[in-house]
Amino acid sequence: MNQQLVTTGIVLSRVEYGEANRIITFLTPDAGKLRLMAKGVRRIKSKLAGGVELFSISNITYVRGRGEIGTLVSSRLITHYGHIVRDIDRTMLGYEVIKQLNKATEDQTEPEYFHLLGQAFAALDDDSLPLDLVSAWFAAQLLRLSGHTPNLQTEADGAKLQADKAYEFTYADQAFLARNDAGFTADHIKFLRLLFAGNQPRALAQVRGYATLLPGCLPLVQSMLREHVRVT
């Protein structure tokens, strides 16, 4: 008999299989990604159903299969971020966050990705946090974890960034370059430093003037994410 293993999991995807089953992909902190067959989970009285919901963290017990797909033995809900699904915009961003992280972890599944997804759910569950802020923060964290933090200390040519200059971002160098008519200010760069430093969205929301900086910073980090992490 195969050994039963226990871990904590977050659902990344669910694919229906047969009349009542699903193949569920979990992200875990210690076993990477797991593809598990949840037998009978679509039946009304299934004991597995409560622990395999989206936007949740659950304890799962499973056995490994001979191939890529194991078997889910039991699941128990730890935390469900139910406020997310009460708002269509938060739900859609939640789906996008899961999709992007699933794509970003095709080749690497360090524990930090699991913790990031849990933090993203908590931020989305807090309806006092603006969605643009959560989106910018999440994109910056994915870039940071994948090794694509931009140079936010010096210009592309090595010159020190100045508080009284305007800058443009050069994607080739992953750095800023001074230009008189450019759209990025020193305040934008300071806020980007906070984004990439791993500060939580709640702390970022306390930064004075952040709402005026987000419209410039959000497209930048999203463009970098598409270019370097290939999330689309």
Side-chain angles (χ1 to χ4, degrees):
M1 183 176 179
N2 290 339
Q3 179 185 5
Q4 292 190 359
L5 304 170
V6 179
T7 188
T8 307
I10 296 175
V11 174
L12 294 180
S13 68
R14 303 181 296 186
V15 178
E16 294 187 0
Y17 186 87
E19 294 184 359
N21 308 328
R22 282 196 179 109
I23 298 174
I24 302 176
T25 301
F26 289 94
L27 181 68
T28 74
D30 52 3
K33 282 184 179 179
L34 296 174
R35 295 185 68 206
L36 303 177
M37 179 71 71
K39 296 180 179 179
V41 71
R42 290 155 56 199
R43 296 194 178 103
I44 294 176
K45 295 183 179 180
S46 172
K47 295 181 179 180
L48 294 176
V52 294
E53 293 298 319
L54 293 176
F55 309 128
S56 299
I57 300 175
S58 299
N59 279 334
I60 60 174
T61 302
Y62 68 100
V63 295
R64 298 189 184 277
R66 294 182 179 179
E68 294 182 356
I69 302 176
T71 300
L72 182 65
V73 176
S74 67
S75 60
R76 182 175 62 84
L77 185 68
I78 299 174
T79 305
H80 177 59
Y81 298 96
H83 289 160
I84 296 176
V85 297
R86 297 180 185 178
D87 180 272
I88 186 62
D89 293 328
R90 288 182 180 275
T91 301
M92 296 308 296
L93 181 55
Y95 288 148
E96 186 64 22
V97 161
I98 292 172
K99 176 184 174 183
Q100 290 180 353
L101 195 140
N102 195 14
K103 184 72 174 178
T105 55
E106 283 185 346
D107 302 318
Q108 51 186 355
T109 53
E110 287 85 353
E112 288 78 9
Y113 288 99
F114 173 86
H115 300 305
L116 172 59
L117 190 52
Q119 291 167 356
F121 287 168
L124 288 168
D125 203 56
D126 184 347
D127 57 13
S128 70
L129 292 175
L131 289 182
D132 281 352
L133 178 62
V134 177
S135 182
W137 165 82
F138 183 76
Q141 301 319 298
L142 270 189
L143 285 163
R144 180 177 63 85
L145 289 180
S146 61
H148 294 288
T149 300
N151 179 0
L152 301 172
Q153 305 302 323
T154 64
E155 291 190 45
D157 60 5
K160 186 177 179 180
L161 296 171
Q162 302 294 323
D164 58 347
K165 290 185 177 181
Y167 292 92
E168 66 176 352
F169 188 76
T170 63
Y171 287 91
D173 297 311
Q174 293 296 290
F176 287 92
L177 193 63
R179 198 187 75 189
N180 290 335
D181 58 346
F184 288 100
T185 66
D187 286 338
H188 285 103
I189 297 173
K190 289 177 182 177
F191 187 68
L192 285 168
R193 289 173 183 165
L194 294 174
L195 272 179
F196 281 93
N199 294 285
Q200 294 299 306
R202 170 59 55 192
L204 294 170
Q206 305 304 312
V207 176
R208 181 178 298 179
Y210 83 90
T212 63
L213 302 172
L214 264 179
C217 295
L218 178 58
L220 173 62
V221 293
Q222 288 179 332
S223 295
M224 290 179 61
L225 192 64
R226 288 192 295 270
E227 179 176 351
H228 294 291
V229 187
R230 310 291 185 183
V231 294
T232 58

